[in-house]
mmCIF file of all heavy atoms in Angstrom:
data_model
loop_
_atom_site.group_PDB
_atom_site.id
_atom_site.type_symbol
_atom_site.label_atom_id
_atom_site.label_comp_id
_atom_site.label_asym_id
_atom_site.label_seq_id
_atom_site.Cartn_x
_atom_site.Cartn_y
_atom_site.Cartn_z
ATOM 1 N N PRO A 1 93.362 108.160 96.966
ATOM 2 C CA PRO A 1 92.589 108.029 95.725
ATOM 3 C C PRO A 1 92.586 106.570 95.257
ATOM 4 O O PRO A 1 93.517 105.806 95.542
ATOM 5 C CB PRO A 1 93.344 108.930 94.741
ATOM 6 C CG PRO A 1 94.062 109.916 95.616
ATOM 7 C CD PRO A 1 94.429 109.177 96.862
ATOM 8 N N ALA A 2 91.560 106.194 94.518
ATOM 9 C CA ALA A 2 91.368 104.794 94.157
ATOM 10 C C ALA A 2 92.568 104.201 93.425
ATOM 11 O O ALA A 2 93.001 103.076 93.722
ATOM 12 C CB ALA A 2 90.109 104.651 93.299
ATOM 13 N N GLU A 3 93.144 104.962 92.481
ATOM 14 C CA GLU A 3 94.263 104.408 91.716
ATOM 15 C C GLU A 3 95.510 104.255 92.587
ATOM 16 O O GLU A 3 96.281 103.293 92.430
ATOM 17 C CB GLU A 3 94.577 105.282 90.497
ATOM 18 C CG GLU A 3 95.086 106.692 90.790
ATOM 19 C CD GLU A 3 93.976 107.681 91.082
ATOM 20 O OE1 GLU A 3 92.821 107.252 91.213
ATOM 21 O OE2 GLU A 3 94.282 108.893 91.162
ATOM 22 N N VAL A 4 95.707 105.196 93.527
ATOM 23 C CA VAL A 4 96.849 105.093 94.443
ATOM 24 C C VAL A 4 96.646 103.915 95.386
ATOM 25 O O VAL A 4 97.572 103.130 95.648
ATOM 26 C CB VAL A 4 97.034 106.394 95.229
ATOM 27 C CG1 VAL A 4 98.124 106.244 96.304
ATOM 28 C CG2 VAL A 4 97.364 107.542 94.289
ATOM 29 N N LEU A 5 95.433 103.764 95.896
ATOM 30 C CA LEU A 5 95.136 102.676 96.814
ATOM 31 C C LEU A 5 95.371 101.324 96.155
ATOM 32 O O LEU A 5 95.967 100.418 96.764
ATOM 33 C CB LEU A 5 93.695 102.786 97.300
ATOM 34 C CG LEU A 5 93.230 101.700 98.287
ATOM 35 C CD1 LEU A 5 94.068 101.745 99.557
ATOM 36 C CD2 LEU A 5 91.739 101.883 98.602
ATOM 37 N N ALA A 6 94.928 101.176 94.908
ATOM 38 C CA ALA A 6 95.107 99.900 94.215
ATOM 39 C C ALA A 6 96.591 99.575 94.034
ATOM 40 O O ALA A 6 97.027 98.427 94.223
ATOM 41 C CB ALA A 6 94.404 99.942 92.864
ATOM 42 N N ARG A 7 97.377 100.572 93.697
ATOM 43 C CA ARG A 7 98.828 100.351 93.502
ATOM 44 C C ARG A 7 99.515 100.008 94.813
ATOM 45 O O ARG A 7 100.340 99.087 94.869
ATOM 46 C CB ARG A 7 99.434 101.612 92.874
ATOM 47 C CG ARG A 7 100.947 101.584 92.763
ATOM 48 C CD ARG A 7 101.448 102.644 91.800
ATOM 49 N NE ARG A 7 100.776 103.922 91.958
ATOM 50 C CZ ARG A 7 101.064 104.805 92.918
ATOM 51 N NH1 ARG A 7 102.001 104.511 93.810
ATOM 52 N NH2 ARG A 7 100.425 105.964 92.974
ATOM 53 N N LEU A 8 99.165 100.721 95.891
ATOM 54 C CA LEU A 8 99.773 100.447 97.183
ATOM 55 C C LEU A 8 99.357 99.080 97.725
ATOM 56 O O LEU A 8 100.154 98.380 98.363
ATOM 57 C CB LEU A 8 99.412 101.540 98.182
ATOM 58 C CG LEU A 8 100.064 102.905 97.961
ATOM 59 C CD1 LEU A 8 99.561 103.908 98.997
ATOM 60 C CD2 LEU A 8 101.592 102.800 98.031
ATOM 61 N N GLU A 9 98.122 98.693 97.487
ATOM 62 C CA GLU A 9 97.667 97.378 97.952
ATOM 63 C C GLU A 9 98.445 96.262 97.255
ATOM 64 O O GLU A 9 98.802 95.254 97.894
ATOM 65 C CB GLU A 9 96.168 97.219 97.716
ATOM 66 C CG GLU A 9 95.310 98.011 98.692
ATOM 67 C CD GLU A 9 93.835 97.883 98.398
ATOM 68 O OE1 GLU A 9 93.463 97.546 97.249
ATOM 69 O OE2 GLU A 9 93.028 98.132 99.321
ATOM 70 N N ALA A 10 98.724 96.423 95.968
ATOM 71 C CA ALA A 10 99.505 95.418 95.244
ATOM 72 C C ALA A 10 100.924 95.351 95.797
ATOM 73 O O ALA A 10 101.486 94.262 95.996
ATOM 74 C CB ALA A 10 99.516 95.736 93.753
ATOM 75 N N ASP A 11 101.520 96.505 96.053
ATOM 76 C CA ASP A 11 102.867 96.534 96.620
ATOM 77 C C ASP A 11 102.880 95.956 98.034
ATOM 78 O O ASP A 11 103.800 95.211 98.412
ATOM 79 C CB ASP A 11 103.403 97.962 96.649
ATOM 80 C CG ASP A 11 103.755 98.494 95.265
ATOM 81 O OD1 ASP A 11 103.951 97.668 94.358
ATOM 82 O OD2 ASP A 11 103.832 99.728 95.108
ATOM 83 N N ALA A 12 101.871 96.293 98.826
ATOM 84 C CA ALA A 12 101.802 95.801 100.196
ATOM 85 C C ALA A 12 101.674 94.283 100.228
ATOM 86 O O ALA A 12 102.281 93.613 101.070
ATOM 87 C CB ALA A 12 100.626 96.456 100.929
ATOM 88 N N LYS A 13 100.914 93.733 99.317
ATOM 89 C CA LYS A 13 100.764 92.276 99.256
ATOM 90 C C LYS A 13 102.108 91.621 99.003
ATOM 91 O O LYS A 13 102.437 90.582 99.601
ATOM 92 C CB LYS A 13 99.770 91.919 98.149
ATOM 93 C CG LYS A 13 99.480 90.428 98.044
ATOM 94 C CD LYS A 13 98.436 90.153 96.976
ATOM 95 C CE LYS A 13 98.146 88.664 96.879
ATOM 96 N NZ LYS A 13 97.127 88.388 95.822
ATOM 97 N N GLU A 14 102.921 92.222 98.134
ATOM 98 C CA GLU A 14 104.251 91.686 97.846
ATOM 99 C C GLU A 14 105.146 91.773 99.078
ATOM 100 O O GLU A 14 105.917 90.837 99.370
ATOM 101 C CB GLU A 14 104.879 92.454 96.689
ATOM 102 C CG GLU A 14 106.261 91.973 96.295
ATOM 103 C CD GLU A 14 106.837 92.733 95.117
ATOM 104 O OE1 GLU A 14 106.052 93.347 94.357
ATOM 105 O OE2 GLU A 14 108.082 92.722 94.961
ATOM 106 N N VAL A 15 105.067 92.874 99.807
ATOM 107 C CA VAL A 15 105.886 93.038 101.001
ATOM 108 C C VAL A 15 105.487 92.039 102.082
ATOM 109 O O VAL A 15 106.338 91.364 102.687
ATOM 110 C CB VAL A 15 105.772 94.481 101.536
ATOM 111 C CG1 VAL A 15 106.452 94.605 102.904
ATOM 112 C CG2 VAL A 15 106.371 95.470 100.550
ATOM 113 N N ILE A 16 104.202 91.914 102.345
ATOM 114 C CA ILE A 16 103.716 91.043 103.414
ATOM 115 C C ILE A 16 104.071 89.586 103.140
ATOM 116 O O ILE A 16 104.366 88.807 104.063
ATOM 117 C CB ILE A 16 102.189 91.221 103.583
ATOM 118 C CG1 ILE A 16 101.892 92.640 104.085
ATOM 119 C CG2 ILE A 16 101.620 90.191 104.549
ATOM 120 C CD1 ILE A 16 100.420 93.015 104.057
ATOM 121 N N ALA A 17 104.110 89.210 101.869
ATOM 122 C CA ALA A 17 104.411 87.822 101.508
ATOM 123 C C ALA A 17 105.837 87.419 101.855
ATOM 124 O O ALA A 17 106.157 86.219 101.896
ATOM 125 C CB ALA A 17 104.171 87.610 100.014
ATOM 126 N N ARG A 18 106.707 88.353 102.150
ATOM 127 C CA ARG A 18 108.096 88.037 102.502
ATOM 128 C C ARG A 18 108.228 87.486 103.913
ATOM 129 O O ARG A 18 109.255 86.921 104.259
ATOM 130 C CB ARG A 18 108.969 89.298 102.399
ATOM 131 C CG ARG A 18 108.971 89.981 101.061
ATOM 132 C CD ARG A 18 109.719 91.302 101.178
ATOM 133 N NE ARG A 18 109.554 92.151 100.004
ATOM 134 C CZ ARG A 18 109.765 93.462 99.996
ATOM 135 N NH1 ARG A 18 110.140 94.064 101.118
ATOM 136 N NH2 ARG A 18 109.599 94.164 98.884
ATOM 137 N N TYR A 19 107.212 87.673 104.752
ATOM 138 C CA TYR A 19 107.353 87.378 106.172
ATOM 139 C C TYR A 19 106.396 86.275 106.604
ATOM 140 O O TYR A 19 105.245 86.216 106.141
ATOM 141 C CB TYR A 19 107.072 88.645 106.992
ATOM 142 C CG TYR A 19 108.011 89.778 106.652
ATOM 143 C CD1 TYR A 19 107.655 90.724 105.687
ATOM 144 C CD2 TYR A 19 109.245 89.890 107.278
ATOM 145 C CE1 TYR A 19 108.523 91.769 105.365
ATOM 146 C CE2 TYR A 19 110.112 90.932 106.958
ATOM 147 C CZ TYR A 19 109.750 91.862 106.002
ATOM 148 O OH TYR A 19 110.609 92.894 105.676
ATOM 149 N N PRO A 20 106.850 85.401 107.524
ATOM 150 C CA PRO A 20 105.946 84.357 108.035
ATOM 151 C C PRO A 20 104.823 84.922 108.885
ATOM 152 O O PRO A 20 103.739 84.344 108.964
ATOM 153 C CB PRO A 20 106.882 83.464 108.863
ATOM 154 C CG PRO A 20 108.057 84.327 109.212
ATOM 155 C CD PRO A 20 108.220 85.275 108.067
ATOM 156 N N GLY A 21 105.064 86.066 109.538
ATOM 157 C CA GLY A 21 104.033 86.753 110.299
ATOM 158 C C GLY A 21 103.810 88.131 109.712
ATOM 159 O O GLY A 21 104.771 88.888 109.516
ATOM 160 N N SER A 22 102.568 88.475 109.414
ATOM 161 C CA SER A 22 102.306 89.729 108.691
ATOM 162 C C SER A 22 102.751 90.957 109.476
ATOM 163 O O SER A 22 103.166 91.959 108.884
ATOM 164 C CB SER A 22 100.809 89.840 108.362
ATOM 165 O OG SER A 22 100.028 89.877 109.557
ATOM 166 N N ARG A 23 102.702 90.894 110.800
ATOM 167 C CA ARG A 23 103.076 92.063 111.603
ATOM 168 C C ARG A 23 104.522 92.476 111.347
ATOM 169 O O ARG A 23 104.872 93.653 111.475
ATOM 170 C CB ARG A 23 102.857 91.756 113.080
ATOM 171 C CG ARG A 23 103.005 92.967 113.986
ATOM 172 C CD ARG A 23 102.953 92.590 115.457
ATOM 173 N NE ARG A 23 103.020 93.769 116.303
ATOM 174 C CZ ARG A 23 101.999 94.245 117.010
ATOM 175 N NH1 ARG A 23 100.831 93.639 116.975
ATOM 176 N NH2 ARG A 23 102.147 95.320 117.765
ATOM 177 N N SER A 24 105.372 91.531 110.961
ATOM 178 C CA SER A 24 106.776 91.828 110.697
ATOM 179 C C SER A 24 106.951 92.748 109.500
ATOM 180 O O SER A 24 108.032 93.312 109.302
ATOM 181 C CB SER A 24 107.561 90.537 110.468
ATOM 182 O OG SER A 24 107.515 89.702 111.611
ATOM 183 N N ALA A 25 105.912 92.897 108.700
ATOM 184 C CA ALA A 25 106.000 93.746 107.508
ATOM 185 C C ALA A 25 105.731 95.218 107.805
ATOM 186 O O ALA A 25 105.763 96.040 106.883
ATOM 187 C CB ALA A 25 104.998 93.253 106.457
ATOM 188 N N LEU A 26 105.512 95.578 109.059
ATOM 189 C CA LEU A 26 105.120 96.952 109.360
ATOM 190 C C LEU A 26 106.202 97.958 108.975
ATOM 191 O O LEU A 26 105.906 98.998 108.371
ATOM 192 C CB LEU A 26 104.774 97.090 110.851
ATOM 193 C CG LEU A 26 104.400 98.509 111.309
ATOM 194 C CD1 LEU A 26 103.262 99.074 110.477
ATOM 195 C CD2 LEU A 26 104.037 98.504 112.795
ATOM 196 N N LEU A 27 107.464 97.695 109.314
ATOM 197 C CA LEU A 27 108.518 98.664 109.004
ATOM 198 C C LEU A 27 108.627 98.936 107.505
ATOM 199 O O LEU A 27 108.636 100.092 107.082
ATOM 200 C CB LEU A 27 109.855 98.207 109.586
ATOM 201 C CG LEU A 27 109.933 98.106 111.119
ATOM 202 C CD1 LEU A 27 111.339 97.698 111.548
ATOM 203 C CD2 LEU A 27 109.541 99.411 111.775
ATOM 204 N N PRO A 28 108.740 97.903 106.648
ATOM 205 C CA PRO A 28 108.788 98.210 105.214
ATOM 206 C C PRO A 28 107.504 98.840 104.686
ATOM 207 O O PRO A 28 107.551 99.649 103.749
ATOM 208 C CB PRO A 28 109.067 96.855 104.552
ATOM 209 C CG PRO A 28 108.740 95.835 105.570
ATOM 210 C CD PRO A 28 108.977 96.472 106.903
ATOM 211 N N LEU A 29 106.359 98.512 105.269
ATOM 212 C CA LEU A 29 105.120 99.155 104.808
ATOM 213 C C LEU A 29 105.122 100.650 105.138
ATOM 214 O O LEU A 29 104.610 101.460 104.358
ATOM 215 C CB LEU A 29 103.899 98.478 105.435
ATOM 216 C CG LEU A 29 103.421 97.172 104.823
ATOM 217 C CD1 LEU A 29 102.069 96.766 105.405
ATOM 218 C CD2 LEU A 29 103.333 97.265 103.309
ATOM 219 N N LEU A 30 105.694 101.013 106.259
ATOM 220 C CA LEU A 30 105.798 102.434 106.582
ATOM 221 C C LEU A 30 106.705 103.149 105.582
ATOM 222 O O LEU A 30 106.440 104.288 105.184
ATOM 223 C CB LEU A 30 106.310 102.616 108.009
ATOM 224 C CG LEU A 30 105.298 102.304 109.122
ATOM 225 C CD1 LEU A 30 105.991 102.254 110.475
ATOM 226 C CD2 LEU A 30 104.162 103.317 109.133
ATOM 227 N N HIS A 31 107.786 102.492 105.173
ATOM 228 C CA HIS A 31 108.620 103.078 104.118
ATOM 229 C C HIS A 31 107.832 103.173 102.808
ATOM 230 O O HIS A 31 107.996 104.133 102.046
ATOM 231 C CB HIS A 31 109.871 102.224 103.902
ATOM 232 C CG HIS A 31 110.924 102.416 104.948
ATOM 233 N ND1 HIS A 31 111.517 103.634 105.185
ATOM 234 C CD2 HIS A 31 111.495 101.539 105.812
ATOM 235 C CE1 HIS A 31 112.406 103.501 106.159
ATOM 236 N NE2 HIS A 31 112.417 102.243 106.555
ATOM 237 N N LEU A 32 106.995 102.187 102.545
ATOM 238 C CA LEU A 32 106.204 102.199 101.312
ATOM 239 C C LEU A 32 105.275 103.409 101.258
ATOM 240 O O LEU A 32 105.232 104.128 100.250
ATOM 241 C CB LEU A 32 105.396 100.904 101.192
ATOM 242 C CG LEU A 32 104.442 100.817 99.996
ATOM 243 C CD1 LEU A 32 105.200 100.848 98.685
ATOM 244 C CD2 LEU A 32 103.571 99.560 100.102
ATOM 245 N N VAL A 33 104.531 103.656 102.331
ATOM 246 C CA VAL A 33 103.619 104.802 102.308
ATOM 247 C C VAL A 33 104.404 106.108 102.331
ATOM 248 O O VAL A 33 103.945 107.122 101.792
ATOM 249 C CB VAL A 33 102.604 104.730 103.471
ATOM 250 C CG1 VAL A 33 101.716 103.498 103.336
ATOM 251 C CG2 VAL A 33 103.296 104.745 104.827
ATOM 252 N N GLN A 34 105.594 106.089 102.931
ATOM 253 C CA GLN A 34 106.428 107.289 102.905
ATOM 254 C C GLN A 34 106.904 107.585 101.482
ATOM 255 O O GLN A 34 107.074 108.754 101.109
ATOM 256 C CB GLN A 34 107.624 107.099 103.836
ATOM 257 C CG GLN A 34 108.461 108.336 104.027
ATOM 258 C CD GLN A 34 109.288 108.297 105.294
ATOM 259 O OE1 GLN A 34 109.000 108.995 106.256
ATOM 260 N NE2 GLN A 34 110.322 107.471 105.320
ATOM 261 N N SER A 35 107.108 106.549 100.687
ATOM 262 C CA SER A 35 107.516 106.756 99.301
ATOM 263 C C SER A 35 106.400 107.367 98.461
ATOM 264 O O SER A 35 106.650 107.929 97.395
ATOM 265 C CB SER A 35 107.963 105.432 98.673
ATOM 266 O OG SER A 35 106.855 104.574 98.405
ATOM 267 N N GLU A 36 105.187 107.292 98.940
ATOM 268 C CA GLU A 36 104.050 107.855 98.214
ATOM 269 C C GLU A 36 103.873 109.342 98.491
ATOM 270 O O GLU A 36 103.637 110.135 97.576
ATOM 271 C CB GLU A 36 102.771 107.105 98.591
ATOM 272 C CG GLU A 36 101.542 107.543 97.835
ATOM 273 C CD GLU A 36 101.644 107.280 96.341
ATOM 274 O OE1 GLU A 36 102.250 106.258 95.939
ATOM 275 O OE2 GLU A 36 101.115 108.104 95.563
#
């Protein structure tokens, strides 16, 4: 849903910013969607 997508995109941006290569963020992003 649009409101869920907007919230997850904001969280994902924060997670991806922690890593020099975006692919390294895959594991925490999987935990993020699992939390939803």
